[in-house]
Amino acid sequence: MSTTQSDRLRGLLEPLVAAKGLDLEEIELSKAGRRRMLRIVVDSDEGVELDACAELSREVSDKLDESDVMGEDEYVLEVSSPGADRPLSERRHYVRATGRLVKFQLVEGGELIARILGVDDEGMDLEVPGVKGRKATARRITFTDIAKARVEIEFNRKDKKEEEA
């Protein structure tokens, strides 16, 4: 997608998405056979429900029909929330992942798997799980230390309420 078209789409859609209390995370335009596929990813601190995606999809479709930003060619519109394994790149992504286990690729090399305990403007406080019966340790990491980060899916983690019972 050209930068100009991307910028025009973002300028057109961001106010609409923000009015719903959502963040516009990504706009992706790609080819799908003879048609184009416009994928819009939205999120919020509380997550995004399917009904909100459906309602936003209708409003985005109407807005795009009113404008010439997509041109005359056919396209398929998809409005969704990010997957659980999406990359973390913005401060708000880390805030939303508080309490979750995250795999960090570090700028200096190597990787770190740790649970996010808290996030501030410079970075975050982590809990690095203990290995072979050792206790977990605390660690501080800044955003500039991180090359890449993704949430690790945990299938057997107990909820805090279950642990306290």
Side-chain angles (χ1 to χ4, degrees):
M1 175 167 55
S2 73
T3 304
T4 308
Q5 186 173 26
S6 176
D7 292 343
R8 288 182 64 204
L9 280 165
R10 186 164 287 279
L12 184 70
L13 302 178
E14 207 151 31
L16 188 66
V17 172
K20 296 283 183 196
L22 302 171
D23 296 316
L24 180 57
E25 295 290 347
E26 183 181 339
I27 298 174
E28 179 184 317
L29 186 62
S30 60
K31 281 281 207 187
R34 285 187 238 144
R35 294 186 190 179
R36 295 176 297 161
M37 174 76 150
L38 176 59
R39 183 169 182 254
I40 299 169
V41 179
V42 296
D43 201 4
S44 79
D45 291 344
E46 295 79 35
V48 182
E49 294 187 7
L50 186 59
D51 289 343
C53 283
E55 182 181 328
L56 182 60
S57 179
R58 287 188 291 277
E59 291 182 25
V60 165
S61 179
D62 290 344
K63 192 72 157 177
L64 291 172
D65 289 347
E66 292 171 7
S67 78
D68 66 344
V69 72
M70 290 300 292
E72 297 297 318
D73 296 334
E74 289 185 26
Y75 64 92
V76 175
L77 173 63
E78 177 186 305
V79 176
S80 65
S81 62
D85 65 342
R86 70 116 183 259
L88 306 177
S89 58
E90 303 283 334
R91 180 185 179 279
R92 68 177 178 266
H93 298 162
Y94 295 102
V95 170
R96 291 174 187 158
T98 298
R100 309 279 307 269
L101 198 62
V102 174
K103 183 179 199 176
F104 298 94
Q105 298 292 327
L106 303 175
V107 171
E108 65 191 28
E111 66 181 37
L112 170 67
I113 297 177
R115 190 167 312 282
I116 298 175
L117 299 177
V119 180
D120 60 34
D121 291 339
E122 287 82 40
M124 62 200 88
D125 295 316
L126 306 173
E127 178 185 74
V128 181
V131 181
K132 296 183 182 178
R134 293 185 181 162
K135 289 188 175 189
T137 57
R139 180 164 175 182
R140 174 82 182 160
I141 190 171
T142 64
F143 293 118
T144 57
D145 295 331
I146 303 167
K148 290 191 226 177
R150 284 189 191 273
V151 169
E152 289 283 284
I153 307 300
E154 296 179 89
F155 293 105
N156 58 353
R157 180 171 185 229
K158 290 183 180 176
D159 190 340
K160 281 265 192 219
K161 292 176 185 170
E162 289 177 33
E163 289 176 2
E164 292 169 359

